[in-house]
Amino acid sequence: MDNKVKEFMARIIAKNPGELEFHQAVEEVAESLIPYIEENPRYKVAKILERIAEPERVIIFRVPWMDDKGEVQISRGYRVEMNSAIGPYKGGLRFHPTVNLGILKFLAFEQVLKNSLTTLPMGGGKGGSDFDPKGKSDNEVMSFCQSFMTELCKHIGPDTDIPAGDIGVGGREIGFLFGQYKRIRNEFTGVLTGKAIEWGGSLIRPEATGYGQVYFAKEMLKTRGDSFKGKIVTVSGSGNVAQFATQKVTEFGGKVVTLSDSAGYIYDPEGIDAEKLAYVMELKNVKRGRIKEYAAKYGCTYVDGKRPWEVKCDIALPSATQNEINGDDAKMLLDNGCYCVSEGANMPSTPEAITAYQNAKILFGPGKAANAGGVATSGLEMSQNSLRLSWTREEVDQKLHQIMIDIHENCVKYGKDGDYIDYVKGANIGGFVKVADAMMAQGVV
Ligand code: NDP
Ligand code: 2IT
């Protein structure tokens, strides 16, 4: 590691002890940015890198709620308001038992650069709770969401901070959160995105992250005169992002052969077509079952306790969670001929995995670029809310597609190195410049 990166990271680690995912996310960005800042010393003098690694504000709060047995439960709530240089804080809420401050800081940090890449005026934030929605009744989820919003509503607003979904937060949770915000504040505003269409949501928002991830991969493939047609694709996860990535790959003529959840993965060599995907959507979004049930229904393989990276593929679309592809997994992918990875999840590849992709010079789209379609379409939902109008499916999808093309172009602008496009460097510098210039213009704030 470069000495300057080492010194910078020593200070980050000392100031944020134990926050491993945050260190990992900052280090990856620092490796791209420090050489760039050396060439552009105005950012160095203004200490922009040090400033973007320090949240503007962190809110931590108690979330008491009552379960169906009448027992009081205490969860912990968070909102990390990372950077508001180019717009109000914007980013999802994650409800998962592993949630802690370090994970939310990594997500908020990534969000700042991602939101900048979308071309829309959004700052970055992230929040959530260690509450586990799995196995809870609708009533328990509602009780939790109402308690969570009773505190969170003091800190957010349509011009201040606009949360949305992430792991464990989908349409059901956004509904309960929105209802409580409206009741307490007596305001019907676009304070959350991912709303249902009948009460201020945008068409294509549910599809947007997965579609965007595939649109980004399509652009990467195009640089080598290639496409999804006839390609074997592995997808991890079986939630929001994985479902709509699968749909778009199939539409583009590729074949998705795996899906997973935290218990294991299914391998269906015939491909997960539209009918099978409809079954997955019902299983995951309505019945809230396990992916294992797919294998029983369609008579294919289920591999317990493993991730799908041992399956031979041309293209991999990690769409579950952080650090789900380690160095060994990356080696397996490469040995099996995989030559394109487009990240739907946030930071799914470990630093060792990224180094392996870069050494092999495969097409690698990092999450902050490849999964930016979700938050971009949240930005389009905010625009529609402000206009008090709603656009058609085709209009929103066309805007999303163009944004993904523009993000790809921006990554090429900053990441092209001879014949090879380093999308990590491209996304990090491309996202940074706008935020940094806005911070410079706004003074030491
Ligand atoms: P969902 O909650 O809809 O689905 C998450 C999926 O990932 C589930 O299949 C889940 O399995 C699996 N998963 C979650 N945690 C783990 C874990 N620790 N180990 C293995 N599998 C796990 O979430 P989303 O689809 O919305 O989010 C998936 C990823 O995409 C996340 O990294 C998120 O940050 C990112 N993302 C999401 C966006 C969005 O708009 N929703 C936008 C941009 C990025 P199980 O059910 O067993 O927990
Ligand atoms: O990681 C992400 O970009 C999201 N979970 C979506 C955030 C948003 O505000 O739509």
Side-chain angles (χ1 to χ4, degrees):
M1 203 196 305
D2 176 275
N3 264 344
K4 289 207 166 69
V5 177
K6 233 185 229 163
E7 283 163 26
F8 175 72
M9 284 313 301
R11 291 197 297 276
I12 292 289
I13 291 165
K15 211 165 180 182
N16 304 275
E19 296 178 356
L20 301 184
E21 291 85 358
F22 181 59
H23 305 163
Q24 182 184 336
V26 173
E27 184 170 316
E28 184 223 276
V29 168
E31 275 172 358
S32 301
L33 288 184
I34 287 177
Y36 182 75
I37 290 171
E38 288 296 315
E39 288 165 19
N40 296 274
R42 64 185 185 283
Y43 297 133
K44 194 171 170 179
V45 177
K47 298 211 175 162
I48 300 291
L49 184 58
E50 288 79 354
R51 278 154 71 185
I52 64 167
E54 185 70 20
E56 288 180 15
R57 188 179 299 106
V58 175
I59 301 137
I60 303 185
F61 49 99
R62 178 169 70 201
V63 189
W65 56 280
M66 202 174 283
D67 69 17
D68 288 346
K69 292 191 236 94
E71 193 176 323
V72 175
Q73 302 286 344
I74 298 104
S75 304
R76 184 173 292 173
Y78 304 83
R79 188 71 183 166
V80 179
E81 296 182 335
M82 201 72 185
N83 194 302
S84 61
I86 62 166
Y89 310 109
K90 178 83 195 89
L93 296 171
R94 177 176 290 190
F95 294 167
H96 195 271
T98 56
V99 161
N100 59 36
L101 184 59
I103 287 181
L104 295 178
K105 278 169 67 178
F106 118 63
L107 289 162
F109 181 77
E110 290 277 294
Q111 198 80 44
V112 173
L113 300 175
K114 182 195 306 191
N115 292 4
S116 167
L117 284 169
T118 65
T119 70
L120 302 174
M122 299 181 289
K126 198 90 189 189
S129 175
D130 57 0
F131 172 76
D132 185 359
K134 234 180 264 159
K136 303 288 190 299
S137 68
D138 285 352
N139 188 54
E140 288 174 324
V141 171
M142 181 171 75
S143 168
F144 168 80
C145 286
Q146 291 179 340
S147 180
F148 182 84
M149 184 52 87
T150 300
E151 178 59 32
L152 187 68
C153 78
K154 299 168 190 167
H155 311 285
I156 62 174
D159 296 315
T160 311
D161 184 352
I162 305 92
D166 193 76
I167 292 177
V169 178
R172 174 183 62 169
E173 292 74 19
I174 294 292
F176 295 149
L177 293 163
F178 184 80
Q180 185 73 350
Y181 182 89
K182 181 163 63 66
R183 186 177 182 199
I184 297 179
R185 300 281 295 252
N186 196 23
E187 284 170 6
F188 193 112
T189 66
V191 65
L192 293 162
T193 59
K195 301 184 291 298
I197 195 71
E198 299 80 11
W199 39 276
S202 174
L203 291 165
I204 301 287
R205 176 62 189 89
E207 293 88 340
T209 310
Y211 279 16
Q213 172 190 14
V214 174
Y215 292 152
F216 193 85
K218 180 174 178 233
E219 291 307 302
M220 292 200 291
L221 290 165
K222 224 196 262 173
T223 64
R224 297 189 181 177
D226 203 350
S227 78
F228 272 99
K229 202 142 188 57
K231 299 300 181 311
I232 302 295
V233 182
T234 48
V235 174
S236 65
S238 48
N240 172 267
V241 179
Q243 291 169 14
F244 289 105
T246 300
Q247 190 174 82
K248 195 48 89 176
V249 168
T250 310
E251 197 185 308
F252 281 169
K255 195 201 270 188
V256 174
V257 295
T258 66
L259 285 172
S260 70
D261 59 24
S262 52
Y265 77 88
I266 56 112
Y267 173 47
D268 184 350
E270 301 297 316
I272 299 159
D273 60 16
E275 185 224 310
K276 291 170 177 174
L277 181 61
Y279 168 82
V280 172
M281 288 180 172
E282 170 80 11
L283 173 70
K284 283 287 163 183
N285 310 346
V286 181
K287 293 192 185 133
R288 299 185 190 275
R290 310 305 298 159
I291 200 66
K292 187 180 180 177
E293 296 167 51
Y294 177 104
K297 167 123 176 122
Y298 293 108
C300 71
T301 311
Y302 171 71
V303 183
D304 195 46
K306 284 191 139 181
R307 298 165 180 157
W309 315 126
E310 59 195 10
V311 173
K312 185 174 168 57
C313 68
D314 302 303
I315 300 165
L317 302 177
S319 310
T321 193
Q322 64 273 1
N323 292 329
E324 57 169 316
I325 304 185
N326 63 26
D328 292 339
D329 296 326
K331 188 171 179 308
M332 250 186 312
L333 282 169
L334 295 168
D335 287 349
N336 281 328
C338 173
Y339 61 89
C340 176
V341 178
S342 181
E343 294 185 334
N346 286 303
M347 206 167 77
S349 304
T350 64
E352 295 73 29
I354 295 175
T355 304
Y357 308 147
Q358 288 175 329
N359 289 342
K361 290 198 166 12
I362 66 161
L363 299 167
F364 169 57
K368 66 171 75 68
N371 74 34
V375 72
T377 309
S378 280
L380 300 176
E381 182 171 332
M382 290 164 66
S383 302
Q384 293 169 82
N385 291 163
S386 298
L387 288 167
R388 298 187 192 282
L389 285 173
S390 45
W391 299 328
T392 63
R393 242 185 134 70
E394 291 70 28
E395 264 177 296
V396 181
D397 194 25
Q398 190 267 330
K399 284 184 166 67
L400 164 65
H401 200 154
Q402 188 59 48
I403 287 171
M404 298 314 297
I405 292 171
D406 293 345
I407 295 174
H408 181 270
E409 210 166 279
N410 203 10
C411 291
V412 173
K413 177 176 166 193
Y414 288 104
K416 200 162 169 52
D417 183 7
D419 278 348
Y420 178 63
I421 303 162
D422 181 346
Y423 288 95
V424 174
K425 181 176 161 200
N428 287 338
I429 301 177
F432 173 77
V433 171
K434 190 164 71 168
V435 175
D437 288 343
M439 290 174 74
M440 300 280 291
Q442 291 168 22
V444 181
V445 289

